[in-house]
Amino acid sequence: MTQPRFEVQPIGTVESPLTDPASAPKQGDEGAPDAWLAFEPTVLEGLEGIRVGDEVIVVTWLDRARRDVLRVHPRGDNSRPEQGVFTTRSSDRPNPIGLHRVLVLKIEGRSVEVRNLEAVDGTPIVDLKPVLSADIAER
Amino acid sequence: MTQPRFEVQPIGTVESPLTDPASAPKQGDEGAPDAWLAFEPTVLEGLEGIRVGDEVIVVTWLDRARRDVLRVHPRGDNSRPEQGVFTTRSSDRPNPIGLHRVLVLKIEGRSVEVRNLEAVDGTPIVDLKPVLSADIAER
């Protein structure tokens, strides 16, 4: 079966003091810095309603990852046996989509500052979603 | 600034009794049925290590969504004022990426059965990730 393919159009870019993927924290809660999400002018309407204090999921395209890798040592630790990439959070994977749960700190024009983002400077942003309340009535 | 674009290559397909996006539950925990994830033979190595009982995040491409929508009534409820799509979980959004947290029920060959998936039959799967432990030492 041949699958169709789809085109991702970034909606913005990460601006961060992190520049080296190899030395970046593995996850946001492992010492990642605050960073800015700079959105494209064309999608600003989609941000209406965002508030300081919101918890959101930033979806990125990890453009420096390898897409031809299916097995990795978890967390790059060679002492751990290799596993399939889909059982790890490795950025190397067929579609290098990153998920980052962050807190909104500040909103200025088309930029949103967030806490603890481990994506490196220049990483394309492809979506932003609210963290869902466990209470269905609050959705 | 012109952003580069990226190509998503599906790694599998959802097989579900749900066929109508309009009548599908909004979220997995709102009455969604069990479903199968049928993976492409070329990515099976990436699943090594997956186990029954694992909690995983299925990342889909909601191929029946509209990509030209930036504001929606939350949950399709016209009595609620419109908001930016990035503050909702609407499937209509510039990059219609779906996130679905599910439990692995069964593994058979290249198919994985999961509990409570609200994606409709035929939805392309683009990634699969483990739910992260809150305990960094367990990652």
Side-chain angles (χ1 to χ4, degrees):
Chain A
M1 176 180 57
T2 303
Q3 285 264 14
R5 296 176 178 207
F6 302 100
E7 190 185 74
V8 174
Q9 292 181 233
I11 60 169
T13 309
V14 172
E15 296 177 352
S16 169
L18 291 177
T19 54
D20 175 20
S23 62
K26 302 284 183 206
Q27 298 296 333
D29 59 357
E30 299 179 24
D34 300 342
W36 286 89
L37 312 177
F39 289 92
E40 296 295 317
T42 49
V43 303
L44 289 190
E45 220 184 324
L47 288 173
E48 279 183 31
I50 196 169
R51 304 263 181 275
V52 170
D54 284 354
E55 281 202 296
V56 298
I57 298 169
V58 182
V59 184
T60 58
W61 187 267
L62 302 165
D63 59 342
R64 273 151 276 195
R66 287 180 54 189
R67 302 186 64 173
D68 59 349
V69 170
L70 288 171
R71 310 183 75 206
V72 293
H73 295 285
R75 297 176 62 81
D77 177 350
N78 287 333
S79 74
R80 292 171 68 169
E82 281 193 341
Q83 292 175 206
V85 287
F86 302 128
T87 71
T88 79
R89 287 292 188 110
S90 170
S91 54
D92 296 331
R93 53 206 309 123
N95 295 298
I97 290 169
L99 301 182
H100 319 269
R101 182 174 172 155
V102 298
L103 179 73
V104 174
L105 297 176
K106 202 182 289 182
I107 301 164
E108 283 184 8
R110 63 182 192 87
S111 292
V112 175
E113 190 181 27
V114 298
R115 175 160 294 160
N116 291 358
L117 182 63
E118 78 278 17
V120 299
D121 190 57
T123 300
I125 302 165
V126 298
D127 201 5
L128 188 74
K129 296 180 190 291
V131 171
L132 283 179
S133 168
D135 180 347
I136 294 172
E138 288 177 359
R139 290 179 183 169
Chain B
M1 176 179 60
T2 302
Q3 285 264 15
R5 297 178 176 204
F6 302 100
E7 190 184 76
V8 174
Q9 292 179 233
I11 61 169
T13 309
V14 171
E15 296 178 351
S16 169
L18 290 177
T19 54
D20 175 20
S23 62
K26 301 284 184 207
Q27 299 296 333
D29 59 358
E30 299 179 23
D34 299 342
W36 286 89
L37 313 177
F39 288 92
E40 296 294 317
T42 49
V43 303
L44 287 190
E45 222 185 322
L47 288 173
E48 279 181 33
I50 196 169
R51 304 263 182 275
V52 170
D54 284 353
E55 282 202 296
V56 298
I57 297 169
V58 182
V59 184
T60 59
W61 187 266
L62 302 165
D63 58 343
R64 272 152 276 194
R66 287 181 54 189
R67 302 186 64 174
D68 60 349
V69 170
L70 287 171
R71 310 182 78 211
V72 293
H73 295 285
R75 297 176 63 81
D77 178 350
N78 287 335
S79 74
R80 292 171 69 169
E82 282 193 338
Q83 292 175 206
V85 287
F86 302 128
T87 70
T88 79
R89 287 292 188 111
S90 170
S91 54
D92 296 331
R93 53 207 308 121
N95 294 299
I97 290 169
L99 301 182
H100 319 268
R101 182 173 172 155
V102 298
L103 179 73
V104 174
L105 297 175
K106 202 181 290 182
I107 301 164
E108 284 184 9
R110 63 182 191 87
S111 293
V112 175
E113 190 181 26
V114 298
R115 174 161 295 161
N116 290 357
L117 182 63
E118 78 279 17
V120 298
D121 190 57
T123 300
I125 302 165
V126 298
D127 201 4
L128 189 75
K129 296 179 190 293
V131 171
L132 283 179
S133 169
D135 181 348
I136 295 173
E138 287 177 0
R139 290 178 183 169

